[in-house]
Amino acid sequence: MRHRSLLVLTTVITTGALTLTACGSRDAAKTGDKADGSKTVVVIGVDAPLTGSLSALGQGIKNSVDLAAKTANKNNEVPGVEFKVEALDDQAVPASGQANATKLVGNKDVLGVVGPLNSGVAQQMQGVFASANLAQVSPANTNPALSQGDNWGKGEFKRPFKTYFRTAATDVVQGKFAAQYLFKDAGKKKVFVVDDKQTYGAGLAGIFTEEFKKLGGEVVGTDHVTVKETDFSSTADKVKSSGADSVYFGGQYPEGGLLSDQIKKTGANIPLFGGDGIYDPAFISASAEANDGDLATSIGAPVEKLDTAKKFIEDYKAGGYKDPYAAYGGYSYDAGWAVIQAVKAVVAANGGKVPTDARAKVVEALSKVSFDGVTGKVSFDEYGDTTNKQLTVYKVEGGKWIDVKSDTFNQ
């Protein structure tokens, strides 16, 4: 996964099946529309868990970016440019994400990357992308430190990497929103808090806890579970004996579904509440016990109810993808489209050609991107965070997630 000294550039003849390969510099090859009708290839990288327990989300991310690229090519969104997607599997493992980042940096055709799913993986990728001026747009990362620095909780905001952007709202927004719903709307006053000790889960649980206490709620107990374990009976027993009227879980759906199941088996008929990490049908199916009443927050409004998402849903279905777009499909499409719009601006400003310093220019252009996307208005603030702060609470009813409240959160 080293940098290549010579670029092997593949250009596709749009009028036939012939593929030409030539060795040379980027300057000579990347000239936009040519007399022979060929186009410059620009690659959008994707990093997500494509296998393993979180693959249901990862496949939706990959497919949605693929749809964005195909739509751009079909509409000739950037004259002279053909978009392709290179998707790599991180299996939700930080070291794998870092290796994937290095591989994507080494491909000089990659001008932007969508992903990853997990905040912990992103922490290991950010520096690699920044060192190469390669833009990264996550559709799912929610840890505030990724964009606002490690001291954000103290009110000290400093953007660590100018190459990092996201279309997902942060845990600051999501955790507080969940606490307010549980205390004010659901009327729960005594919560037991559990997290999976990971960057995402522990961070989300911490923000929820602080807000819940501030509202006047009581945290009657805390505990931790380990990712990929399946026996959480000791935690379930602690919940039962605590007298909690609810549980808040910071983590993902494989553990969350089993935890809900085992809590209910103790006879504690109380809701488990979590973040977007549990908002997936697999959370429901992981529980052998009926878990009606369990809750989850997720970024944005239900895609199916957004007028702006109708075409995305239709096109995704027509695309024949075997996996659903899942929780982050709309945000992944918008992340991919943001990269495409940045490339479009850069190429237009350079006389219809991809410039030699395209990566740096794409990063700069992303900070100015603004368009009506699948999930609403897409733009980024000074930290690279989305300006769209809409969230939704979902409840399990009849074995399905049903949206019960959508709102725009103002901190």
Side-chain angles (χ1 to χ4, degrees):
M1 299 179 184
R2 298 179 180 176
H3 291 245
R4 293 175 290 178
S5 57
L6 288 177
L7 171 66
V8 178
L9 174 67
T10 302
T11 59
V12 181
I13 305 301
T14 58
T15 56
L18 180 63
T19 299
L20 301 179
T21 302
C23 292
S25 69
R26 183 190 192 100
D27 296 352
K30 292 199 174 269
T31 56
D33 274 321
K34 306 178 184 70
D36 62 5
S38 62
K39 293 190 173 188
T40 298
V41 171
V42 168
V43 176
I44 301 174
V46 173
D47 176 87
L50 304 179
T51 59
S53 61
L54 298 179
S55 61
L57 299 175
Q59 290 292 338
I61 291 172
K62 179 194 74 172
N63 294 342
S64 299
V65 178
D66 180 72
L67 179 59
K70 287 179 177 176
T71 301
N73 292 337
K74 179 181 178 181
N75 298 342
N76 197 28
E77 187 71 20
V78 185
V81 169
E82 179 183 6
F83 291 97
K84 292 187 176 181
V85 172
E86 180 178 356
L88 301 179
D89 180 15
D90 63 33
Q91 294 184 308
V93 176
S96 297
Q98 186 176 52
N100 290 346
T102 301
K103 183 176 181 180
L104 291 168
V105 164
N107 181 350
K108 299 301 184 182
D109 292 342
V110 177
L111 297 188
V113 178
V114 175
L117 169 70
N118 305 89
S119 293
V121 175
Q123 287 179 323
Q124 298 302 311
M125 302 180 79
Q126 286 182 305
V128 179
F129 289 136
S131 67
N133 275 325
L134 181 57
Q136 170 187 12
V137 187
S138 173
N141 294 163
T142 54
N143 188 291
L146 295 170
S147 56
Q148 299 177 16
D150 291 335
N151 293 324
W152 64 269
K154 301 177 182 178
E156 301 172 15
F157 306 110
K158 183 178 180 181
R159 188 177 184 181
F161 302 104
K162 67 177 182 180
T163 50
Y164 181 83
F165 301 82
R166 56 178 147 198
T167 54
T170 71
D171 289 335
V172 174
V173 179
Q174 190 171 195
K176 289 183 177 181
F177 187 67
Q180 291 182 15
Y181 181 87
L182 190 64
F183 186 84
K184 296 178 180 179
D185 296 77
K188 304 299 183 182
K189 310 301 181 186
K190 300 169 65 177
V191 67
F192 193 105
V193 179
V194 183
D195 70 68
D196 64 359
K197 299 178 285 189
Q198 301 298 301
T199 300
Y200 163 76
L204 182 59
I207 293 164
F208 167 86
T209 297
E210 182 180 357
E211 183 69 10
F212 194 75
K213 287 181 177 179
K214 191 180 296 184
L215 292 167
E218 180 184 359
V219 176
V220 296
T222 63
D223 203 2
H224 311 281
V225 298
T226 301
V227 172
K228 295 187 178 179
E229 287 193 357
T230 58
D231 183 3
F232 306 129
S233 56
S234 64
T235 299
D237 288 339
K238 292 176 185 177
V239 171
K240 169 69 172 175
S241 62
S242 72
D245 59 16
S246 54
V247 175
Y248 189 80
F249 175 64
Q252 306 283 353
Y253 62 78
E255 292 75 32
L258 292 174
L259 179 62
S260 174
D261 179 67
Q262 292 169 34
I263 288 172
K264 289 169 177 55
K265 283 180 177 176
T266 67
N269 187 23
I270 58 176
L272 181 143
F273 200 171
D276 55 328
I278 74 166
Y279 174 56
D280 192 276
F283 167 84
I284 301 171
S285 61
S287 177
E289 297 289 314
N291 53 359
D292 280 16
D294 282 353
L295 300 158
T297 52
S298 190
I299 53 178
V303 170
E304 293 78 11
K305 294 190 175 183
L306 293 173
D307 289 338
T308 53
K310 287 181 179 178
K311 190 173 188 309
F312 164 73
I313 295 172
E314 292 171 359
D315 289 349
Y316 193 95
K317 183 177 181 180
Y321 299 106
K322 70 174 185 177
D323 297 290
Y325 49 78
Y328 304 104
Y331 297 92
S332 301
Y333 185 98
D334 285 346
W337 200 254
V339 172
I340 290 166
Q341 291 305 301
V343 171
K344 182 177 182 178
V346 168
V347 169
N350 194 51
K353 302 177 182 179
V354 177
T356 55
D357 59 345
R359 284 182 171 177
K361 285 207 164 51
V362 165
V363 171
E364 182 181 349
L366 266 171
S367 66
K368 303 172 185 175
V369 157
S370 180
F371 61 91
D372 294 322
V374 171
T375 59
K377 192 72 174 181
V378 178
S379 61
F380 306 101
D381 64 17
E382 67 268 33
Y383 302 104
D385 287 331
T386 179
T387 57
N388 184 349
K389 300 295 196 282
Q390 191 170 43
L391 295 106
T392 299
V393 175
Y394 295 86
K395 178 186 288 188
V396 178
E397 291 184 5
K400 294 181 179 179
W401 287 110
I402 306 296
D403 56 289
V404 293
K405 181 178 181 179
S406 292
D407 203 357
T408 298
F409 184 81
N410 297 311
Q411 297 184 48

